[in-house]
Amino acid sequence: MIDSFFENGFLMGSSKKIYHIEESRIHSIRVFQKSISSSLATSFVLKKYHKLIALLTNLLLDDDDSGDSLREVLNQIEKFRLEIKIKYRNFLKQKELEMMAKQLQVLKTEAKKRLLEIEDSYQSYREGKRSR
């Protein structure tokens, strides 16, 4: 019997990728077997996660005085978190979710700290300019 989490199965495929089976063109495949769908989802999410970490690292290392890159870091983290929650949470193991959440929380905390520093320095600059 299929668990309620896996009733709909894991949907493989995208609008860009087409599978060819015999002479048929298949746009999407739905996997219902729990062990296969979990491993496919884990593989897919980890690839996205590693790309996200690389992007976030580049954004954090960017010398942007306006704080736009730090806001983008926070937006990307929240977007990834929501996507995992909605689409993949039922297919991933708790250990995998915790590992990703912990690392993303560290990056989120760093981005917030730097953004606050930028906002404080901007505020100090504006106050210094007014007092003259």
Side-chain angles (χ1 to χ4, degrees):
M1 185 170 157
I2 298 175
D3 290 337
S4 61
F5 290 135
F6 298 95
E7 285 178 356
N8 297 327
F10 178 72
L11 182 62
M12 291 177 50
S14 68
S15 59
K16 298 175 189 173
K17 186 167 185 169
I18 298 173
Y19 300 98
H20 294 280
I21 299 177
E22 294 182 1
E23 294 183 15
S24 300
R25 293 169 46 125
I26 313 274
H27 293 278
S28 63
I29 298 173
R30 192 169 297 271
V31 179
F32 290 98
Q33 188 172 355
K34 185 176 179 177
S35 61
I36 294 173
S37 60
S38 289
S39 64
L40 287 171
T42 299
S43 174
F44 183 75
V45 168
L46 287 177
K47 283 180 188 176
K48 287 184 102 169
Y49 175 73
H50 291 298
K51 285 181 184 177
L52 177 68
I53 293 296
L55 172 68
L56 296 179
T57 303
N58 286 337
L59 288 172
L60 281 173
L61 294 175
D62 189 17
D63 290 335
D64 180 20
D65 291 338
S66 68
D68 290 339
S69 63
L70 298 172
R71 285 184 196 86
E72 182 64 21
V73 167
L74 296 173
N75 289 339
Q76 290 295 325
I77 289 172
E78 187 62 20
K79 181 180 172 185
F80 182 77
R81 189 189 69 76
L82 287 174
E83 183 179 9
I84 296 303
K85 183 177 179 181
I86 292 169
K87 292 182 180 180
Y88 305 109
R89 180 182 212 125
N90 297 329
F91 298 104
L92 300 174
K93 296 175 184 165
Q94 188 65 28
K95 181 180 174 184
E96 294 162 341
L97 290 169
E98 289 172 358
M99 180 268 307
M100 289 187 287
K102 190 181 292 185
Q103 289 179 341
L104 289 175
Q105 186 61 39
V106 168
L107 292 172
K108 186 176 181 178
T109 302
E110 180 66 23
K112 283 183 178 181
K113 184 178 94 176
R114 287 188 186 179
L115 190 57
L116 188 60
E117 289 172 358
I118 288 173
E119 289 172 354
D120 286 345
S121 67
Y122 181 71
Q123 188 67 24
S124 298
Y125 172 74
R126 291 199 61 171
E127 289 173 0
K129 207 172 184 183
R130 286 185 196 162
S131 65
R132 290 185 183 180

